[in-house]
Amino acid sequence: MKTTTPLKSKQVYLISSGDLRIAANQKCWAAQAKMEAILDRALKAEGWKVVRAHGYDQRKQHGFIDSQKMGMEVFRRLDPEAPLIVAESVWQYSHHVLAGLTTHRGPILTVANWSGTWPGLVGMLNLNGSLTKAGVEYSTLWSEDFTDGFFKSGLRQWLTEGKVTHDQSHVKDLGLLKLPAEDEQLGRKAGREFKQQKAILGVFDEGCMGMFNAIIPDELLHRTGVFKERLSQSSLYAAMLQVTDAEAREVLDWLLKKGMTFKWGTEDETELTEAQTLEQCKMYVAAMRLAAEFGCATVGIQYQQGLKDLAPASDLVEGLLNNVDRPPVRCSKTGRVLFAGQALPHFNEVDECAGLDGLVTNRLWNALGFAPENTLHDLRWGQHYRGSGVNGYVWVFLISGAVPPAHLTGGFRGAVSERQPSMYFRLGGGTIKGVSKPGHIVWSRVFVMGGKLHCDLGVSEVVKLPDKETERRWRETTPQWPIMHAVLAGVSRDQMMARHKSNHIQVVYAPNRKQAHRACRIKAAMLAELGLEVHLCGDVELT
């Protein structure tokens, strides 16, 4: 076997995981190269030299690791004892580098830019969650320009000690806390009923975009009373072919009557067309029928990869499924309305951690008499904002699909469907764009760590920003997607980044601030009854 040449003293490998889609890698490469140059200067200032572990590909016109196969080839050439940095300024597929990182023995540092436009922090959070699930030790850092004191001191610590320590004092284990007796009893009772009833989680193909952290091992999931029905996206596409044009038109007419806006054009390659929307309506009907056929209480559609080459995006479908008030779908055999008066919780990008969380939340919020619509978002980016009654760090929660119109200001009348960016969505399809209404929410994230299911829980306020600021934040990120302006209670930006084990965060509204804290406590007790290790994050009131 060929042996590798060890790195010299004060040399560090640098790798960058990218997308599978070549158009995305090509468009994002300039931003990645710029970020790496700045990072290189920061390391030189500390007396270290960067050794890039893989080069720029002239044929592909980018320098990302763009497949699991390539990732394994790159790691075969590396000194397994050397320090290694994974630098991310874009969305990346974690499985491209996960295999190599699981056996790398040297110190590992994941680093991301801080930008809404180039979502390296989103990609890094997914990789961090995947490494956590895999039991791989790593450190993590982030920065806007890699010259701030927080980054430089963290980098210096990693270079000298092989690790970076962060403040995570906002995290409190539920086992060390005392909940009000009534909340504890309500949550435990709900958990026992949930486990006793059991439920089916419908999975239209696992592992979207290499998101290892989004797959719950069956043996852990079964302990909660939830079991997977492994479905195929090919079966979803086949079911779409059985939906009639008239049925699709009925769904669209229902949405138009509700006041939803569709930004249609005529150029299929670059604009949303009515034909694309009608195909999405067929997917909505097909998903409902398959869920009913297999008895699924919640479903997740991967869309990437495979289905993206056959059908428009699933985003409109996902948001409608998550809404209680939605177009009726009838059984093709009996004519019975399916899931009448109910949301069918959908977990975007077939993130099973969000699927379990979403189903638990749906059941509990219904029991509490609260609006049960909930969704995941990307923890996309954020900035401090002062003005219009707001003075705090305001996160941009943003995701292409799964956001229910009930979350938006104006509901369906505040919802606009715009074409997905062609860089990622060749066959188009529309989103459900809008601004999340002001109010109080419970946020959460289920994740796997140490071979166990965990959940972080907290509360947040969704604030209203001036239209001009909202538009600016949309321009900085993805203007076609729905946006939520969230201020996390008692959790700083850097604490959130240091702790969070996913690019996704689950959110659900409560009627008011007091009920948000109460519901958070009850949900914590319910999850503990289901066997999860629960952690309250930030300012969650215990009385």
Side-chain angles (χ1 to χ4, degrees), residues 10 13 35 72 107 115 200-201 219 226 249 257 302-303 337 380 411 429 437 446 471 486 515 529:
K10 292 200 171 183
Y13 286 126
M35 177 258 206
M72 289 182 180
S115 165
I200 296 173
L201 183 144
E219 63 273 16
V226 178
R249 177 62 64 178
K257 187 175 180 180
Q302 181 181 152
Y303 188 71
V337 175
R380 178 66 182 263
K437 60 190 178 185
V446 171
E471 291 295 334
Q515 292 288 15
E529 182 66 28

Side-chain angles (χ1 to χ4, degrees), residues 74-139:
V74 168
F75 272 91
R76 288 187 188 112
R77 302 191 297 265
L78 303 189
D79 173 6
E81 306 293 339
L84 182 147
I85 295 175
V86 187
E88 295 300 335
S89 66
V90 299
W91 172 247
Q92 57 83 48
Y93 284 27
S94 293
H95 78 303
H96 290 174
V97 295
L98 187 61
L101 292 172
T102 59
T103 54
H104 192 78
R105 298 189 292 273
I108 296 169
L109 177 68
T110 64
V111 177
N113 60 336
W114 195 266
S115 165
T117 306
W118 307 105
L121 70 94
V122 184
M124 185 189 74
L125 284 172
N126 183 264
L127 180 58
N128 288 354
S130 295
L131 290 170
T132 297
K133 179 188 172 187
V136 177
E137 292 188 11
Y138 67 95
S139 296

